[in-house]
Amino acid sequence: MKVSMKTAALVMAAVISASAMPINTGITAYAAVSAASSAETEGLKAAISDVKKLIEIPSALKEFDYETKTSYGMTFYKLKWYREKTVQRDNGTTYKTVPESITVEYHGGMLTDYYYYNEKNSSYTTPSFAKLSSDEQQQYAEKYLKQLAPNLKGNAVIERSTSNYSLTYKNVTYNINRIENGISVKRNHGQITIDRDTGKLISFKLNWWNDAQLPDSSKKLSVSEVSEIFKQRKGLKAYYSMFSKRNYDSKTGTYTSEKFILPVYAPKNDGENEIDALTGEFTSIYNDMKKYSYTDAYTWDTGDGGEYMEEVTEDVCDEDFSEAELSAIDKESSYISAKKALEIIKSDGIIKFNDGLIQKSRSLTQYENTKGEIKAALLFSYTYTTSDKTKDSIYLNVLMDAETGEIIQFSKTYAYGKESPTKNTTTVKHADAVKKADAAAKHFLGDKASEYKLTECSTIYKDSTSQSLTYTRYVNGLPTDFDHINITVDSLGEVLNFDYTYHDMKFPEAKLVSEDTAYEKLFEYMKPDLYYTGFLDLKFKSHTYLTYEFDDNYIINALTGERINYSGDPYYTDEKQEEAVEIKYTDISGYKYEKEINTLLDYGIYITKDSVLAPDEDITIGQFIDLCEDAYDIYLNRLYPSTSKWDAEKGVYVTVPNPKLNEKLTREELAKIYVEFYTNSSDAAKIKGIYKQPYSDVSESSTYCGYIAIAKGMGFISQTADKYHPTEGISKGECLKTAYDFLCGSSKEKKLYNIIG
């Protein structure tokens, strides 16, 4: 609600109307509440007063808005202080913008959300070091948590978010996590974001249960006990899964994607992979959520609207189109017409085309056929609506192959009016729905439908007039996780929705390793996570649980028994999650760039992860590429693409890194990198006999002759000496010093591409 210098009567009208948000010059927050009802007034006054004790509102933010939402038996407040600015358009008209604002959310004595906006602030900058040290930034984050949540109960742990630890991002984000008895409490978390240079608070979010009564963790079962329970209860399932492998074609310089199928073992993800840590039973949290009428959380009311604009066609001639556009139009003309599509739909036998339906749109799109080929598709939308809100509306969408007219999927919706004489109120019968769905699957898929089995049905709600059924494809006795049929049938026997996936691909035989072997490999890699979790009921009371969870992201190749990743490749040991380790080099004491290297380490920039840097040793191409990504935020990987090959013995694709990454970075190779990355002169650089070499030790017959000449001409090489020393390497220490100088901005021009030396 916007408060303005209008009369009390107008302001009261704005309070009464939920959608009224007049744009006028604002007044103070306390003056605002005088227009509200007495109940609203007292609650709003208290909320504003509490919030202003926690944060300072700049005097320039004279405008004030608020929204309220009642849920869980309490009132939630969204408060906004801001200033407006009038901007003049080129045509002389004006409009208002908000160049600065503070928005907060508050309820029950807790500030749960804060956001500061200023149009002059940018989140990004050129790569550089922060003006505040990491310790100073941490102190700001801790100060803000105490300031904004003074009554917080429980053990809050503030840790820097590594994903936001960037030399180019001006804001630094800290995660707030709750750790009790050494165990993480899920759904109790938050974030604090500050300006890395000034420490100014940018945003704050907090979800927290101050009333939480956590189970006694001293009585928990051991990891070995719950692992045995998981195994006895058949927590793993076997099924076919699809993987995709990217291959690089060095001739065309493009990537292609190749799909393949493998049988796998993986933990179930339907709640059965979560075990109560005290009882050993499957967690009861999901049943309890239903018992206590669990809802996700409050949401703010938002209005939505829009106007439907009828299509307007005009007479056009071919002269209005380019040759490429005319070619596309010719192809479009080969697709089935709207008239033919309507004939197909009306004669289908499953789709009911109601009287009064008219075509509203026809759009060209794509779909993937059963062979994995991308084909053109046409989406036809038909509607029946009237301006009379008491009447029914009908919406039908049909997707079909643009060339053959084969129906790929369709959906229909009935929107019944208030006085609808045809509204369906009959409760659906499961057996009738299944019979009709089976017939529809057979109709659209033919013999392929026999490969699908009805999946266990979800809950049929009381008085439901329709039921959605899912069928899963089985091959060699195993289910797939990628081929399904979805059909919705109503109690009148009409099919309201149909869509399916079917992949006509090679399936390996289901010669699976034993379940014992699968469990052995699973437990070798994975230990169940232990955490507190819970939910809020409709009275805003928390219900908490101590839970072990077996991560369903662990996939076992059912043919070999080995763990694989989502590309189907072996999950190598070095891919396991590792705890962050602070890197300190033991061989740089007294080194000329010791200070610079240690500063870079503070920002997570390093060349080797172990304790030995060997600063005078030549850097490799791979190490240089990694350094450029970390320090300069540039990516050179495409210049040295990896390849992949099929491992017939293991039945998977294996990634093969480019062997040049292990070679030392020479000065001539660096010149080539810069020319290929920063210019379009790569092909020209390969031409022999056209370059006059500026250095006496670079032969004009050298593969690098053109690259070095171009690099010199474009300023990548600044040295004026007679010799270039093209085959010399570049030390790790020199590379780190260059990165440090760049991030400090010590050079007049920040260039990533100065050749070192």
mmCIF file of all heavy atoms in Angstrom, residues 8-9 281 320 692:
data_model
loop_
_atom_site.group_PDB
_atom_site.id
_atom_site.type_symbol
_atom_site.label_atom_id
_atom_site.label_comp_id
_atom_site.label_asym_id
_atom_site.label_seq_id
_atom_site.Cartn_x
_atom_site.Cartn_y
_atom_site.Cartn_z
ATOM 1 N N ALA A 8 -7.552 11.996 3.730
ATOM 2 C CA ALA A 8 -7.739 10.767 4.503
ATOM 3 C C ALA A 8 -8.711 9.837 3.820
ATOM 4 O O ALA A 8 -8.561 8.616 3.857
ATOM 5 C CB ALA A 8 -8.230 11.111 5.910
ATOM 6 N N ALA A 9 -9.713 10.400 3.170
ATOM 7 C CA ALA A 9 -10.711 9.565 2.500
ATOM 8 C C ALA A 9 -10.081 8.773 1.365
ATOM 9 O O ALA A 9 -10.358 7.587 1.184
ATOM 10 C CB ALA A 9 -11.841 10.441 1.960
ATOM 11 N N GLU A 281 13.136 -46.600 11.262
ATOM 12 C CA GLU A 281 12.022 -46.681 10.328
ATOM 13 C C GLU A 281 12.184 -45.607 9.250
ATOM 14 O O GLU A 281 12.917 -44.641 9.420
ATOM 15 C CB GLU A 281 10.695 -46.466 11.062
ATOM 16 C CG GLU A 281 10.423 -47.465 12.170
ATOM 17 C CD GLU A 281 10.224 -48.876 11.640
ATOM 18 O OE1 GLU A 281 9.734 -49.007 10.499
ATOM 19 O OE2 GLU A 281 10.559 -49.841 12.359
ATOM 20 N N ASP A 320 8.803 -7.983 -49.830
ATOM 21 C CA ASP A 320 9.041 -7.613 -48.438
ATOM 22 C C ASP A 320 9.998 -8.577 -47.736
ATOM 23 O O ASP A 320 10.378 -8.350 -46.593
ATOM 24 C CB ASP A 320 7.716 -7.591 -47.660
ATOM 25 C CG ASP A 320 6.788 -6.498 -48.182
ATOM 26 O OD1 ASP A 320 7.318 -5.451 -48.576
ATOM 27 O OD2 ASP A 320 5.572 -6.722 -48.187
ATOM 28 N N LYS A 692 57.139 -10.481 -42.031
ATOM 29 C CA LYS A 692 58.502 -10.064 -41.754
ATOM 30 C C LYS A 692 58.698 -10.145 -40.244
ATOM 31 O O LYS A 692 58.062 -9.425 -39.481
ATOM 32 C CB LYS A 692 58.750 -8.636 -42.245
ATOM 33 C CG LYS A 692 60.190 -8.178 -42.032
ATOM 34 C CD LYS A 692 60.408 -6.777 -42.583
ATOM 35 C CE LYS A 692 61.860 -6.346 -42.364
ATOM 36 N NZ LYS A 692 62.107 -4.974 -42.885
#
